[in-house]
Amino acid sequence: MNLRNVLLFCALPVLSVVCFCCNSRRSSSQPPNIVVIIADDLGWNDVSFHGADEIPTPNIDALAYNGVILNRHYVLPICTPSRTAFLTGQYPIRTGMQGFPLRGAEPRGIPLNNTLLPEYLRKLGYATHLVGKWHVGYHTKNFGPTRRGFDTFFGYYTGYIQYYNHTLYESVSFLLLIIKEHSTILKYDSTNTMNV
């Protein structure tokens, strides 16, 4: 397994990309494009523009240098509450979305009386698209992303999906096994050479 495959295997499962894009034709009076990247479990020093030198992130760096870097946008340590806070602008306990991440088809989600960020952006004329992980409720169609302000959705509804065969995993013991396996994938010898 080469470094590229290892990076894809480790990075893709934790990245979720939310894209809010304007219509294709733009004039100076149209608002700018907005691209938001929400990356689960991404540490401060895991991207090059913050000084990391282990894994180069030139594309993310270019987006950051040519856009806005949210240096003081604090999040919760778990995906469902973190996404809820971003989409609603409220602390998750105010919406009942605090605590553990949602399990598949769990009968809860961001309450329908909450207006989400993509709904506000649509009112401003933006086309809204979600690529990646939703994970804030989908037990009925009304809780899905295309009913909550996104024009399109390409991704998965739950917390973890295997990228090679698209298998969904819900077992806590399985996730702990994955974490254990990932922690032993990369080993460095005294010359900082990666052994897989």
Side-chain angles (χ1 to χ4, degrees):
M1 189 180 284
N2 63 28
L3 178 60
R4 182 175 180 271
N5 289 340
V6 171
L7 291 177
L8 284 174
F9 184 74
C10 294
L12 286 179
V14 297
L15 286 179
S16 291
V17 180
V18 179
C19 298
F20 303 103
C21 302
C22 286
N23 294 328
S24 58
R25 46 182 197 152
R26 280 187 66 203
S27 68
S28 60
S29 64
Q30 289 183 320
N33 292 332
I34 301 170
V35 176
V36 176
I37 299 174
I38 298 176
D40 289 349
D41 306 319
L42 182 71
W44 174 267
N45 207 29
D46 289 341
V47 288
S48 301
F49 70 88
H50 282 159
D53 58 2
E54 287 185 40
I55 300 174
T57 56
N59 295 326
I60 293 174
D61 298 349
L63 287 170
Y65 292 139
N66 293 304
V68 176
I69 300 171
L70 301 175
N71 285 331
R72 300 289 185 258
H73 184 77
Y74 299 104
V75 296
L76 289 104
I78 301 174
C79 47
T80 296
S82 206
R83 281 174 167 69
T84 298
F86 179 77
L87 291 169
T88 64
Q90 298 179 36
Y91 199 72
I93 199 166
R94 297 187 180 277
T95 61
M97 298 295 286
Q98 75 280 4
F100 290 102
L102 292 177
R103 294 182 54 90
E106 182 177 335
R108 71 180 174 112
I110 297 174
L112 298 175
N113 63 341
N114 289 92
T115 304
L116 303 186
L117 177 62
E119 295 173 275
Y120 288 115
L121 290 171
R122 282 173 84 180
K123 290 177 185 176
L124 294 173
Y126 281 92
T128 57
H129 308 282
L130 171 63
V131 178
K133 179 170 140 179
W134 174 240
H135 209 201
V136 290
Y138 70 98
H139 62 285
T140 69
K141 287 182 180 182
N142 288 335
F143 284 86
T146 57
R147 301 276 178 102
R148 302 303 303 267
F150 288 103
D151 296 319
T152 62
F153 168 61
F154 181 76
Y156 54 103
Y157 295 96
T158 60
Y160 180 81
I161 189 170
Q162 214 285 339
Y163 273 83
Y164 297 105
N165 64 12
H166 302 124
T167 303
L168 299 174
Y169 295 104
E170 291 292 331
S171 163
V172 172
S173 60
F174 176 80
L175 292 177
L176 292 175
L177 176 66
I178 292 294
I179 291 168
K180 182 179 178 184
E181 287 177 4
H182 285 295
S183 67
T184 59
I185 287 175
L186 303 178
K187 296 179 182 177
Y188 291 89
D189 61 19
S190 61
T191 62
N192 278 338
T193 304
M194 183 173 59
N195 299 312
V196 180

